[in-house]
Amino acid sequence: MLNTDDGLVIIMRTKHESIDIYSTKEGEDIASLMEDNNKGLILFTEHEYGCASHMAVSTIVDLETPVARVMTHLISNNVFNQTEEFEHIGWEMYFHKGYTFVNISRWPQTSIVPPEQAQSTWIHIYPPLRDLLDFCQKGGHTKLYFLSSTTIHDALDNDIFRLYESSEITEYDFKVKHEKRGDGNDLFFSPPTWLFPYFANLMDYDVSKAIISGNDTEVRVDKKAGMALMNWLETNLDVAGGEELLIKTAEHLQSLFDRSDEIRSEMQSIIPRNEPPKNSMLWG
């Protein structure tokens, strides 16, 4: 909350149940912006292997300048910050051409074993997920689209969950009852990919879909998958991106991966190796 010289009070934080939505610009009313941009809620994540949805959305909004950040005490943000590359926290929110975009940038590690740890993940993730969808619904949203890829199929039985080409797009409608296929074309979802549209359906959104590209297992920055999602957005929602912007983002992401590899290599070179002491009869 800010007090201006003329006595007006500007609200920088909007609280809704378990979440707080912080405006990044003075005077921006998030609730009003939501009402002006409720043609569809588009969710994506920057941490998915291949970076497909991250690249697709980067051609539409400036990911460096979110309009707001969604935060909650239930999701950990372990950040050791610095002045060189200051890292912000929270789920970033953007508005463009009547649509609301949200970057699910932090998601708790989901464990299956032990069961107690999996239960803990659910306890922490359900309230903010529910409350974000509720807040958007109160702002007039009735359509939700989660952008993702099939990268998780790489670790599964491909006789059941096949490897899709990067350029392939599959629309999974959570409002339709689906039977197990068993023909090799079944889908396996990461937790955020299915939870958001699943609960959007339970909350009576008119549209609740996962839009899923294929993936290339050999690359960490999958430009073809990003292009496929970008083209889907333009064709189906009339939200246009641009190939040049996508290529620029891909090059930037690749440079980050390369730098990470260099740092990891440097660290490994200075870590002392466990070698047997000379002339020791007790080793081994």
Side-chain angles (χ1 to χ4, degrees), residues 76-282:
S76 175
N77 287 277
N78 295 322
V79 175
F80 295 88
N81 246 317
Q82 57 183 339
T83 56
E84 183 180 355
E85 295 180 10
F86 193 86
E87 184 176 358
H88 294 282
I89 58 176
W91 293 347
E92 296 156 340
M93 184 177 289
Y94 310 83
F95 301 104
H96 179 74
K97 288 186 65 175
Y99 288 90
T100 299
F101 294 79
V102 181
N103 179 11
I104 309 302
S105 56
R106 281 173 171 78
W107 188 271
Q109 184 174 349
T110 305
S111 301
I112 300 175
V113 178
E116 299 79 18
Q117 195 166 334
Q119 183 181 17
S120 176
T121 302
W122 173 251
I123 290 171
H124 285 81
I125 209 62
Y126 172 63
L129 185 157
R130 173 202 63 203
D131 296 338
L132 176 61
L133 294 184
D134 185 57
F135 179 79
C136 293
Q137 192 173 44
K138 284 179 165 57
H141 275 286
T142 62
K143 300 176 182 179
L144 177 144
Y145 309 91
F146 199 106
L147 307 182
S148 187
S149 75
T150 59
T151 183
I152 201 169
H153 284 200
D154 298 351
L156 303 175
D157 183 349
N158 298 143
D159 289 334
I160 303 173
F161 305 102
R162 74 175 177 89
L163 300 178
Y164 288 75
E165 295 291 331
S166 296
S167 57
E168 290 185 75
I169 291 290
T170 302
E171 295 183 31
Y172 191 89
D173 189 348
F174 282 77
K175 299 193 74 67
V176 177
K177 183 178 180 180
H178 296 270
E179 300 294 338
K180 181 178 178 180
R181 298 175 60 117
D183 59 358
N185 292 303
D186 285 292
L187 294 169
F188 196 97
F189 306 103
S190 66
T193 301
W194 76 267
L195 280 169
F196 278 97
Y198 177 82
F199 280 103
N201 179 42
L202 292 182
M203 296 169 72
D204 205 29
Y205 274 61
D206 293 337
V207 175
S208 49
K209 292 183 176 182
I211 312 301
I212 304 171
S213 74
N215 72 291
D216 184 344
T217 61
E218 301 299 322
V219 296
R220 289 186 290 186
V221 181
D222 195 338
K223 287 184 287 188
K224 288 184 179 180
M227 195 80 67
L229 288 174
M230 182 189 75
N231 291 337
W232 186 93
L233 288 170
E234 181 174 3
T235 301
N236 294 273
L237 303 183
D238 194 28
V239 183
E243 184 174 351
E244 290 184 3
L245 284 173
L246 188 142
I247 292 174
K248 184 178 179 180
T249 300
E251 291 174 347
H252 173 66
L253 290 172
Q254 188 61 56
S255 70
L256 293 179
F257 281 124
D258 292 343
R259 177 57 181 154
S260 176
D261 290 342
E262 290 176 10
I263 294 174
R264 187 179 297 109
S265 177
E266 291 171 2
M267 291 180 64
Q268 289 175 343
S269 67
I270 62 176
I271 296 175
R273 298 179 180 178
N274 290 327
E275 296 181 353
K278 292 182 179 180
N279 302 321
S280 174
M281 299 299 294
L282 299 178

